């Protein structure tokens, strides 16, 4: 039966609970608690309850347990920080009912509940059993449990004292404090004591295991010292012992995966047990040094600031907007997903367009280490995956070497010139790369030398290639290909002005004030002295300009050099005669010559298809070192011309009475592919009809026997090549219209495009409307160069 509620002051406890029959000393510093103690003196009764959350500094009724203890202030003393140190003694259980006021401290009403079965035979037996159990634990382990001093005449007090000494969480202490039935309380405390005993036994076993392991290590260390002393007596002591100790420390300090550490410690024990002169010791030591050096779990700090990556790419590279956008998209996915595993970027394009430097820019922008692996000419699988340790002089492959050099597993790794790999009798290095470049497999890449899985999934692999056709289908399928095509004239001028000229001035020890190259001169260099997709030859020509100025400066030893300005008119004296002149108009001045567009691994290019006829029996001759596909295109074009002679306005007698010769100049260069079909067809019709091909026109496309124009690849590279050659009109297959979106806007605006579905549309756009003039004997007139000589074919 509960007593009537009575007002009392309330002191909240941050942690722990005060049980009846126990004492507690605690510091008091909160404003309300200090105000409460200032209003009371020693001997006064107050209510004490615990907070549900110790982190709450100003608790409300919702933050307090309802069940607490009515306590007496035993000792009260002031502290230096203007707080109090109070000792409380629990008197009886107490139940919070109502909060009367909150300021200056809690004043509440509560009741003191009665205990049931507090003095029965069963409760006394439970209390005696609990005390016996506690005595056994205390005699075995000692500790605070020996402080239980309640007698069997007060079973409830025995339960409370034991519960207060177990160090229970506040929720479990509240469970015990809330039990008014003494028998139930004794049973609950007995269960808690059993739990504590089980935890103590477990802790004891763990401590024993730890001590046993420590003793084993101490024993091993002692034995190693004894072995060292024996070797010293035998005269076998040397630097090997110190080297082994240093190697052991490196292995212990390294952050190794469990599997790697187990293998390293096993091999290290073998090494320590070998004589210093053992030949296998050197092999083991080298392997262990590689284990210690590799970044198994080392990651470099990496920035995912996309604006910084974009700014760095723009600063290092002019143009290449599509490439930069794709790189930023890749980095954005890594940032959002948080998963470093992703596709492998492959930068494919002609030489000199900045593929390798793009990888360096990505590393610089993200803050990751950068390492480059040159794959050109590699023909041995072991170059990629390493040699077995059983071979003399075995070492890991280039992938593991690169990760060691980078010092971090999330490095940017550039695999340069992957299309230059070769397969030989010693295996296929391209096949070895299949695991490296597969995001689903490279998490457990295993080098033959290391024979341990190394995680490559966090490395950002960037692959470069000139010709993707040289790659196998499985390897190409693992790559996300980004086409890096050539630059326009304006982009090359910008690259020269911002990057190449300052770079070469610095290399030749010329200040920027000592040499100025005008934009007109740079445009002339690009137009007249280089004809390439990239800027490598442009850099060489700028180097020649710098060397010429450096020679003049070096000769002036006594006077201060005068700043030099190089304009377009000065290029002839320094660089010599013009190397490239647009001869399209001259070469297409006679019927039978058409200008085509071709794709090569080093970029787009133009080619001329020349045809000629002579009296004969309708035979076809093809020269120019052409491949089978190109020869078939020539035969198909000739077949179409013969079968449609009437529609084309040609005489069948002329075709039967003449042999036709098709030639593609630059005969030393192999040429193949179907994209010259339209050009060959146009050249044949031009020859037989006497209508010249327009001098400003170039074309590409595959032609069928029915006269249909089929789409081809490499449109961007071909259009850029036409633009470099001064072509202003390009004929393309109609189905390649969408490929013009990849061509820079400045190039598209400077050119005119015709899209054709049939050869009739190509002829209408490419051929002049009238026949070329003929001489009095019916022969075609050939334009004369100044001086009357006919132009020579090159």
């Amino acid at each position: 039966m509960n007593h009537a509620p009575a007002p009392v002051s309330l002191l909240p406890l941050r942690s722990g609970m005060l049980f009846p029959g126990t004492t507690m000393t605690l510091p008091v510093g909160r404003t309300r608690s200090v105000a409460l103690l200032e209003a009371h003196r020693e001997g006064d009764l107050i209510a004490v309850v615990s907070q549900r959350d110790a982190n709450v500094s100003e608790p409300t009724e919702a933050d307090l347990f309802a069940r607490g203890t009515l306590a007496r202030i035993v000792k009260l003393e002031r502290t230096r920080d203007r707080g109090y140190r109070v000792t409380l003694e629990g008197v009886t259980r107490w139940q919070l009912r109502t909060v009367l006021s909150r300021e200056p401290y809690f004043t509440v009403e509560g009741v003191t509940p009665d205990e049931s079965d507090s003095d029965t035979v069963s409760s006394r037996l439970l209390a005696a059993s609990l005390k016996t159990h506690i005595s056994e634990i205390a005699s075995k382990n000692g500790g605070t449990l020996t402080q239980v001093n309640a007698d069997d005449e007060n079973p409830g007090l025995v339960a409370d004292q034991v519960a207060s000494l177990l160090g229970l969480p506040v929720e479990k202490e509240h469970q015990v404090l809330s039990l008014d039935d003494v028998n139930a309380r004794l049973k609950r405390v007995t269960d808690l004591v059993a739990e504590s005993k089980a935890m103590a036994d477990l802790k004891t076993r763990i401590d024993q295991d730890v001590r046993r392991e420590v003793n084993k290590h101490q024993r091993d260390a002692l034995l190693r010292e004894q072995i060292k002393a024996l070797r010293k007596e035998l005269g076998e002591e040397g630097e090997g012992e110190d080297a082994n100790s240093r190697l052991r420390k490196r292995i212990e300090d390294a952050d190794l995966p469990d599997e790697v550490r187990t293998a390293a410690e096993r091999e290290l024990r073998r090494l320590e047990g070998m004589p210093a002169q053992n030949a296998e010791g050197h092999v083991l030591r080298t392997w262990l040094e590689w284990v210690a050096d590799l970044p198994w779990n080392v990651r470099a700090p990496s920035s995912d600031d996309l604006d910084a990556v974009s700014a760095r790419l723009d600063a290092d590279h002019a143009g290449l907007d599509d490439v930069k956008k794709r790189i930023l998209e890749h980095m954005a996915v890594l940032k959002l997903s948080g998963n470093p595993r992703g596709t492998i970027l492959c930068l494919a394009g002609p030489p000199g367009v900045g593929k390798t430097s793009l990888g360096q820019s990505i590393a610089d922008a993200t803050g990751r280490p950068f390492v480059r692996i040159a794959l050109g000419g590699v023909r041995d699988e072991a170059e990629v995956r390493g040699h077995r340790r059983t071979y003399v002089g075995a070492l890991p492959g280039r992938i593991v070497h690169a990760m060691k050099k980078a010092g971090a597993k999330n490095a940017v790794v550039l695999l340069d010139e992957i299309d230059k790999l070769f397969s030989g009798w010693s295996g296929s290095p391209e096949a070895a790369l299949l695991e490296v470049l597969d995001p689903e497999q490279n998490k457990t890449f295993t080098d033959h030398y290391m024979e341990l899985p190394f995680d490559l999934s966090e490395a950002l692999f960037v692959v470069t290639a000139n010709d993707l056709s040289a790659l196998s289908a499985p390897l190409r399928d693992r790559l996300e290909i980004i086409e890096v095509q050539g630059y326009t004239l304006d982009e090359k001028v910008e690259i020269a002005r911002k990057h190449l000229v300052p770079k070469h001035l610095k290399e030749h020890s010329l200040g920027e004030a000592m040499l100025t190259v005008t934009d007109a001169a740079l445009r002339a260099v690009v137009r007249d002295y280089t004809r390439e997709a990239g800027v490598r030859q442009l850099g060489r020509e700028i180097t020649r300009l710098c060397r010429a100025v450096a020679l003049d400066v070096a000769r002036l030893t006594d006077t201060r050099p005068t700043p030099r300005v190089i304009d377009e008119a000065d290029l002839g004296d320094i660089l010599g005669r013009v190397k490239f002149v647009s001869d399209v108009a001259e070469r297409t001045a006679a019927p039978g010559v058409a200008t085509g567009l071709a794709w090569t691994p080093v970029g787009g290019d133009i080619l001329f298809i020349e045809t000629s006829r002579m009296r004969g029996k309708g035979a076809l001759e093809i020269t120019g070192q052409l491949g089978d596909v190109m020869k078939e295109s020539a035969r198909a074009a000739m077949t179409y011309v013969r079968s449609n002679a009437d529609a084309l306005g040609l005489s069948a007698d002329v075709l039967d009475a003449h042999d036709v010769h098709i030639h593609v100049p630059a005969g030393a260069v192999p040429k193949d592919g179907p994209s010259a079909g339209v050009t060959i067809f146009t050249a044949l019709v031009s020859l037989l009809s006497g209508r010249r091909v327009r001098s400003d026109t170039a074309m590409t496309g595959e032609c069928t026997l029915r006269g249909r124009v089929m789409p081809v690849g490499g449109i961007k590279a071909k259009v850029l090549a036409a633009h470099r050659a001064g072509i202003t009109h390009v004929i393309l297959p109609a189905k390649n219209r969408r490929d013009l979106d990849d061509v820079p806007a400045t190039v598209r605006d400077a050119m005119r495009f015709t899209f054709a579905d049939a050869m009739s549309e190509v002829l209408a756009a490419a051929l002049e409307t009238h026949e070329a003039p003929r001489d009095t004997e019916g022969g075609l007139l050939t334009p004369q160069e100044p001086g009357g000589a006919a132009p020579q074919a090159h």
Side-chain angles (χ1 to χ4, degrees):
M1 179 176 181
N2 294 332
H3 299 281
V8 66
S9 301
L10 178 68
L11 177 65
L13 300 180
R14 281 187 181 271
S15 59
M17 280 197 173
L18 178 63
F19 284 88
T22 63
T23 59
M24 173 186 291
T25 301
L26 67 153
V28 176
R30 290 189 285 195
T31 303
R32 286 179 179 171
S33 300
V34 170
L36 183 149
L37 295 179
E38 287 179 344
H40 293 75
R41 61 175 59 91
E42 294 178 356
D44 291 347
L45 291 177
I46 61 173
V48 177
V49 296
S50 296
Q51 295 179 195
R52 299 180 184 274
D53 185 359
N55 296 321
V56 178
S57 57
E58 295 295 335
T60 62
E61 299 92 310
D63 300 317
L64 303 175
F65 287 107
R67 178 58 65 96
T69 305
L70 198 62
R72 178 180 292 106
I73 300 176
V74 177
K75 187 176 182 180
L76 186 64
E77 57 184 0
R78 196 78 175 187
T79 59
R80 295 182 179 180
D81 55 358
R82 298 184 180 180
Y84 282 93
R85 184 175 182 82
V86 61
T87 301
L88 301 175
E89 179 184 5
V91 177
T92 183
R93 279 170 170 72
W94 180 81
Q95 181 76 27
L96 173 64
R97 288 294 177 88
T98 307
V99 176
L100 301 178
S101 64
R102 297 174 178 81
E103 300 297 339
Y105 49 83
F106 283 107
T107 303
V108 298
E109 283 188 347
V111 297
T112 55
D114 291 333
E115 295 183 346
S116 60
D117 296 332
S118 60
D119 190 14
T120 63
V121 175
S122 60
S123 61
R124 291 183 182 182
L125 290 175
L126 285 171
S129 175
L130 179 59
K131 291 185 68 176
T132 302
H133 197 40
I134 292 299
S135 299
E136 293 175 356
I137 297 175
S139 62
K140 185 176 181 180
N141 300 323
T144 57
L145 293 179
T146 59
Q147 300 175 9
V148 178
N149 52 23
D151 54 23
D152 297 343
E153 300 297 328
N154 195 343
L157 188 59
V158 173
D160 289 339
Q161 287 186 354
V162 172
S164 68
L165 298 174
L166 291 178
L168 300 172
V170 67
E171 292 81 5
K172 291 187 177 181
E173 288 185 335
H174 183 262
Q175 292 176 6
V176 176
L177 197 61
S178 299
L179 293 174
D180 297 330
D181 186 285
V182 175
N183 285 344
R185 191 190 313 162
L186 287 165
K187 291 178 181 179
R188 179 58 179 157
V189 173
T190 302
D191 293 340
L192 293 173
V193 169
E195 291 179 8
S196 298
K197 182 177 181 298
M199 293 299 295
D201 292 342
L202 178 60
K203 181 177 181 300
T204 300
R205 287 198 299 271
I206 293 175
D207 290 342
Q208 291 174 350
D209 292 341
V210 172
R211 283 195 296 270
R212 189 180 302 112
E213 190 67 25
V214 170
N215 292 336
K216 179 179 180 298
H217 286 303
Q218 291 175 346
R219 174 178 173 274
D220 292 345
L222 178 61
L223 289 175
R224 281 194 293 270
E225 291 297 326
Q226 291 175 348
I227 292 173
K228 187 187 297 185
L230 290 174
R231 286 181 174 174
K232 183 177 180 180
E233 293 296 328
L234 293 172
E236 296 181 354
E237 184 185 28
E239 296 183 358
E241 294 297 324
D242 294 335
N244 290 346
S245 300
R246 291 194 298 268
L247 189 55
R248 172 170 287 279
K249 187 176 187 309
R250 290 180 60 191
I251 296 294
E252 292 174 349
D253 294 342
D255 186 7
L256 304 179
D258 294 339
E259 180 181 356
V260 177
R261 183 172 296 279
T262 301
E265 290 178 349
R266 181 181 65 248
E267 298 299 317
L268 185 59
R269 287 193 295 270
R270 287 184 58 204
L271 176 63
E272 292 172 340
M274 290 180 180
Q277 294 82 8
N278 194 313
E280 189 181 357
H282 175 71
V283 176
L284 282 179
R285 184 173 291 106
T286 303
W287 183 84
L288 288 168
E289 288 174 350
W290 274 98
V291 171
D293 289 337
L294 286 177
W296 301 94
N297 285 316
V298 179
R299 297 171 180 83
S302 176
S303 171
D304 56 3
D305 188 351
L306 297 181
D307 292 335
V309 176
S310 177
R312 187 56 184 257
L313 292 176
D314 290 337
D316 292 348
H317 299 272
L320 304 178
D321 294 334
D322 293 340
V323 179
K324 296 174 185 176
K325 179 182 177 183
R326 182 61 195 88
I327 292 173
L328 289 175
E329 290 172 350
H330 181 79
M331 301 302 298
V333 172
L334 293 182
K335 178 180 179 180
L336 293 178
S337 65
N339 184 3
R341 303 175 68 181
T343 55
I344 310 297
L345 298 181
C346 176
L347 305 179
V353 295
K355 300 186 296 296
T356 302
S357 57
L358 273 171
Q360 180 69 65
S361 297
I362 295 173
D364 293 341
T366 57
R368 301 186 184 190
F370 175 77
V371 61
R372 171 180 171 270
I373 302 176
L375 297 177
V378 173
R379 61 177 67 247
D380 189 350
E381 177 195 359
E383 289 286 328
V384 178
R385 304 198 63 151
H387 297 82
R388 299 284 183 185
R389 271 195 287 167
T390 53
Y391 294 103
V392 176
L395 283 175
R398 297 196 181 195
I399 302 298
V400 173
H401 269 90
M403 301 311 298
K404 174 187 175 182
K405 180 180 178 181
K409 63 188 299 186
N410 61 341
V412 177
V413 181
L414 179 74
L415 301 179
D416 210 6
E417 307 292 352
I418 195 173
D419 56 327
K420 307 302 188 300
L421 291 170
F422 293 95
S423 297
W425 61 270
S426 54
S428 172
E430 184 178 286
L433 285 175
L434 294 179
E435 181 184 4
V436 177
L437 298 179
D438 192 336
E440 300 299 327
Q441 299 181 24
N442 61 11
K443 185 176 179 65
T444 56
F445 171 73
T446 303
D447 186 272
H448 287 160
Y449 178 81
M450 300 304 300
E451 294 183 340
L452 292 170
F454 188 89
D455 184 6
L456 294 175
S457 63
E458 296 186 34
L460 176 58
F461 285 96
V462 180
V463 180
T464 69
N466 298 132
D467 184 9
L468 292 176
S469 64
L471 302 182
S472 64
L475 182 59
R476 192 163 57 245
D477 181 63
R478 285 163 165 78
L479 306 176
E480 180 162 352
I481 298 170
I482 303 176
E483 295 286 346
V484 186
Q485 300 295 345
Y487 298 102
T488 64
L489 187 146
D490 293 335
E491 289 174 343
K492 289 184 179 181
V493 171
E494 184 179 358
I495 292 171
R497 183 174 60 252
K498 290 185 176 180
H499 301 285
L500 298 181
V501 172
K503 172 186 174 182
H504 291 293
L505 287 177
K506 183 178 180 180
E507 289 179 354
H508 292 80
S509 300
L510 298 174
E512 294 185 4
M514 297 175 62
L515 174 60
T516 302
V517 184
T518 65
D519 286 352
L522 291 176
R523 296 182 72 88
V525 172
V526 173
R527 182 183 63 248
D528 300 334
Y529 292 89
T530 66
R531 185 166 290 178
E532 57 176 346
V535 293
R536 195 161 287 160
Q537 183 61 33
L538 176 58
R540 296 189 186 101
E541 299 300 330
I542 293 175
T543 300
R544 293 180 63 186
L545 297 178
C546 293
R547 287 202 303 263
V549 176
L551 178 60
D552 294 340
V553 172
R555 284 174 171 172
L556 298 175
T557 56
D558 299 331
T559 60
R560 186 175 181 179
T562 303
R564 179 80 178 273
V565 177
I566 295 180
D567 203 355
E568 184 175 359
D570 304 320
L571 296 180
D573 297 335
I574 301 175
L575 302 182
R577 63 183 180 87
V578 173
K579 295 180 179 179
F580 298 99
V581 178
S582 178
D583 58 352
V584 177
E586 298 176 6
R587 300 184 71 163
T588 59
V593 181
T595 306
L597 298 175
W599 179 91
T600 69
V602 295
D605 200 359
I606 64 171
L607 56 82
F608 295 96
I609 305 294
E610 297 180 349
T611 60
S612 181
R613 66 179 181 178
M614 68 289 295
R615 294 188 182 277
K617 298 181 181 180
L620 177 64
E621 177 73 16
I622 305 172
T623 58
Q625 198 173 348
L626 307 184
D628 292 340
V629 176
M630 203 164 179
K631 290 179 180 179
E632 291 170 359
S633 297
R635 295 190 188 98
M638 192 64 192
T639 300
Y640 181 82
V641 170
R642 288 181 179 276
S643 61
N644 295 273
D646 294 338
L648 296 173
L650 305 176
S651 172
D653 297 336
V654 174
L655 293 173
D656 294 336
H658 291 81
D659 293 340
V660 176
H661 187 167
I662 300 175
H663 177 67
V664 182
V669 179
K671 296 169 281 290
D672 200 5
S675 62
V678 167
T679 312
I680 296 174
F681 177 90
T682 304
L684 285 173
V685 175
S686 171
L687 171 71
L688 298 174
S689 66
R691 296 163 60 189
R692 289 180 297 202
V693 179
R694 301 181 189 275
S695 61
D696 63 345
T697 301
M699 63 202 74
T700 186
E702 181 180 359
C703 180
T704 69
L705 278 176
R706 299 293 181 180
R708 304 298 300 174
V709 178
M710 306 301 292
V712 293
I715 296 299
K716 180 179 179 181
K718 294 176 180 178
V719 171
L720 291 178
H723 183 259
R724 288 195 297 269
I727 301 292
T728 59
H729 179 213
V730 176
I731 301 175
L732 298 174
K735 293 183 179 179
N736 283 124
R737 182 188 296 269
R738 62 183 181 274
D739 293 324
L740 275 187
D741 295 338
D742 298 333
V743 179
T746 55
V747 175
R748 294 200 305 266
D749 296 341
M751 305 180 73
R752 181 167 56 91
F753 297 92
T754 297
F755 299 95
D757 278 317
M759 281 307 306
S760 57
E761 300 174 19
V762 175
L763 296 177
L767 298 181
E768 295 181 351
T769 56
H770 303 289
E771 291 188 17
R774 298 177 180 269
D775 57 22
T776 56
E777 297 181 357
L780 295 172
L781 291 176
T782 303
Q784 300 292 311
E785 290 185 342
Q792 299 296 317
H794 297 282

